[in-house]
Amino acid sequence: MFGDSRRTVVVVGAQWGDEGKGKLVDVIAERAAWVVRYQGGANAGHTVQIGDSKFVLHQIPSGILHSGVRCAIGNGVVLDPDTLFQEIDGLVKDGVDVEGRLYVSDRAHLVLPYHKLLDAESSASKEIGTTGRGIGPAYEDKVARRGVRVLDLRHRDRLEKLVTQGVEHAIAQLRRFGSKKTVSVKETLDLLDSLAQRLLPLAEDVGLVIARAIKSGASVLLEGAQGSLLDVDHGTYPYVTSSNTTAGGAAIGAGIAPTNIDAVLGVVKAYTTRVGGGPLPTEMDEKLAEETRRLGNEFGATTGRPRRCGWFDAVVVRYAARVNGLSDLAVTKLDVLDTFDRIALCNGYEVDGDVHSEFPADLTALERIAPKYEWLPGWKRSTADARRIEDLPVEARRYLDRVHELVETPITYVSVGTRRDQIIGL
Ligand code: IMP
Ligand code: MG
């Protein structure tokens, strides 16, 4: 992905998340100086497998697994300081050196225990099927201008005032939800006091640091979480997460200029999954979904929930290509389709005899559509050992060519397994 004219690269999910961004970031980060997470929080779960070790990262960029790479958590992230340190300690225990390589934007907002409680107690969160990590409530506080930022830990008086406001608001919300649970200012402050000593040394003006790195010619990878169809503006609202997951969000959330972005890699599965509620136009019948779930181990990395499975939806990915300005596509988990007799690609939505090729904003339109499929023959052979495109069965290549044509974006990577080496670069 990196080259003379490609120094700042964004990696986004181009479906509903869990496309395998963690693995792609891990592969590409080898040549990066910096990896920056730009939105979301501990709702993400990026799984990276190296040899026999499996790492699940929620907040720390997957680039941390390369010793020479420096990582940052941008201002656009809502940071859960408690789980951040659990994650750091877990990495250190597994022999990954984190010290001096991880920075946190001092502008990033904090996810506090009352945000998680609100997420757990809200019936709206249940209906959407959130991860329960307090993401929505933390972004709500940010936009309502009562959030607590990392830099507030430097000013104890102001921190106390902000936490008092936040707790008051949280209690009022809990009462409205009919919840009997409560939160206390003192417990929240005690937690923050104990975490501040560890968090403040990591705090930096990340936007400034990254702008300087870009100016000096360094390679910078901006790592998105979730997927484009979960973007609060462009996704299947209200069944979305609370941040801008798409490439525009990368500039905002890392604190750099949009003109600094040179390329955008969209990661897609060779099929589709989603966790939680909301439309999934190409959803398979339960028998096939169960088979796909088993073959692809489609269970949430954060919540363990079974993921819903569907065929590849080119309407969705073409839409994501447009909204993100994708320059490249990575197709992951091709090997999951190895045993299928035939494979479907959705190339349009049919409503009352008309075929629509653009993804609608109004979800009620999706209730009435029937996906229009084209069927391709399966390859019925293992692709797990393919390392060059020529190693793939002709049927698999035909499938990928058709994805490229329908999405109008060139494929740069194909992943054929969970391990780091199971990748084809085109
Ligand atoms: P929240 O981000 O926890 O508020 O959840 C909102 C929606 O986004 C729910 O449907 C979640 O299942 C979904 N979601 C959040 N994070 C991820 C992720 O990392 N992968 C897939 N879906 C996610
Ligand atoms: Mg995930």
Side-chain angles (χ1 to χ4, degrees):
M1 278 303 289
F2 289 115
D4 287 343
S5 61
R6 288 180 147 200
R7 300 219 181 268
T8 306
V9 173
V10 183
V11 175
V12 293
Q15 293 160 326
W16 277 276
D18 307 310
E19 298 91 349
K21 295 177 294 295
K23 171 167 173 177
L24 263 296
V25 168
D26 176 57
V27 167
I28 301 167
E30 199 170 359
R31 292 187 52 205
W34 281 93
V35 180
V36 188
R37 246 301 280 282
Y38 62 81
Q39 46 69 232
N43 51 349
H46 289 171
T47 311
V48 182
Q49 188 160 342
I50 302 168
D52 291 334
S53 303
K54 191 169 123 183
F55 297 87
V56 182
L57 299 167
H58 298 287
Q59 299 186 96
I60 300 176
S62 324
I64 202 76
L65 302 173
H66 291 280
S67 56
V69 177
R70 284 192 277 180
C71 293
I73 294 177
N75 57 275
V77 170
V78 285
L79 181 77
D80 184 336
D82 200 9
T83 61
L84 176 75
F85 292 118
Q86 286 173 26
E87 209 166 304
I88 293 176
D89 294 343
L91 283 168
V92 170
K93 208 171 117 243
D94 282 332
V96 179
D97 189 16
V98 180
E99 176 83 33
R101 298 205 290 126
L102 179 67
Y103 303 81
V104 170
S105 169
D106 53 9
R107 288 178 170 86
H109 281 249
L110 296 178
V111 178
L112 297 172
Y114 53 78
H115 294 127
K116 287 184 251 186
L117 186 61
L118 288 172
D119 206 359
E121 296 291 296
S122 144
S123 56
S125 291
K126 251 176 225 100
E127 154 78 14
I128 289 162
T130 69
T131 60
R133 298 301 171 102
I135 305 300
Y139 278 115
E140 275 180 46
D141 277 358
K142 170 178 176 172
V143 175
R145 294 165 295 189
R146 62 172 168 260
V148 182
R149 297 190 289 173
V150 170
L151 58 84
D152 293 316
L153 298 176
R154 294 188 186 123
H155 309 280
R156 190 56 170 70
D157 289 353
R158 189 168 71 201
L159 181 69
E160 188 165 338
K161 204 171 135 217
L162 288 169
V163 168
T164 307
Q165 272 177 20
V167 165
E168 269 171 21
H169 181 263
I171 291 174
Q173 290 270 77
L174 288 167
R175 293 303 155 266
R176 244 196 318 278
F177 296 162
S179 165
K180 294 207 168 50
K181 302 233 164 94
T182 193
V183 285
S184 100
V185 173
K186 181 171 181 308
E187 275 171 35
T188 312
L189 282 173
D190 285 351
L191 175 73
L192 287 174
D193 286 339
S194 73
L195 295 170
Q197 284 183 13
R198 261 189 107 179
L199 192 58
L200 283 176
L202 309 181
E204 263 293 349
D205 186 338
V206 166
L208 177 63
V209 172
I210 299 304
R212 284 185 177 148
I214 291 172
K215 213 166 184 177
S216 76
S219 306
V220 175
L221 190 57
L222 305 177
E223 174 178 352
Q226 290 88 43
S228 301
L229 277 291
L230 288 171
D231 183 289
V232 68
D233 282 88
H234 304 292
T236 45
Y237 191 90
Y239 299 96
V240 292
T241 191
S242 304
S243 61
N244 286 115
T245 59
T246 46
I252 307 267
I256 61 158
T259 44
N260 282 142
I261 296 172
D262 301 314
V264 183
L265 173 70
V267 186
V268 292
K269 268 179 203 170
Y271 49 99
T272 310
T273 63
R274 110 169 264 174
V275 232
L280 178 58
T282 59
E283 190 154 22
M284 296 163 169
D285 64 48
E286 190 42 37
K287 188 163 162 276
L288 194 57
E290 206 183 304
E291 174 77 352
T292 309
R293 190 175 302 127
R294 186 181 61 78
L295 290 166
N297 190 27
E298 295 295 353
F299 296 89
T302 299
T303 58
R305 289 181 288 177
R307 295 179 184 142
R308 296 158 63 193
C309 298
W311 293 114
F312 187 90
D313 188 339
V315 177
V316 159
V317 181
R318 195 170 47 234
Y319 170 58
R322 167 164 64 85
V323 176
N324 289 294
L326 296 186
S327 55
D328 300 73
L329 205 62
V331 178
T332 66
K333 301 189 107 167
L334 186 72
D335 56 300
V336 173
L337 303 179
D338 284 351
T339 54
F340 286 57
D341 291 324
R342 52 180 208 151
I343 297 161
L345 285 166
C346 166
N347 59 19
Y349 298 156
E350 218 168 311
V351 192
D352 306 329
D354 295 329
V355 177
H356 297 259
S357 56
E358 297 298 335
F359 196 80
D362 187 346
L363 299 190
T364 52
L366 288 178
E367 286 164 14
R368 297 186 299 124
I369 65 114
K372 208 172 139 283
Y373 289 117
E374 52 187 70
W375 291 90
L376 274 72
W379 40 95
K380 309 280 282 171
R381 254 172 61 192
S382 171
T383 54
D385 295 324
R387 294 295 176 270
R388 299 167 311 155
I389 195 76
E390 304 82 55
D391 299 339
L392 288 175
V394 62
E395 295 85 354
R397 270 154 45 200
R398 205 174 300 147
Y399 180 73
L400 293 170
D401 286 344
R402 196 62 192 129
V403 168
H404 171 180
E405 276 168 24
L406 290 171
V407 178
E408 297 164 19
T409 307
I411 298 173
T412 306
Y413 295 96
V414 179
S415 169
V416 291
T418 52
R419 287 200 323 266
R420 205 180 231 179
D421 64 296
Q422 288 179 303
I423 191 129
I424 300 170
L426 274 80

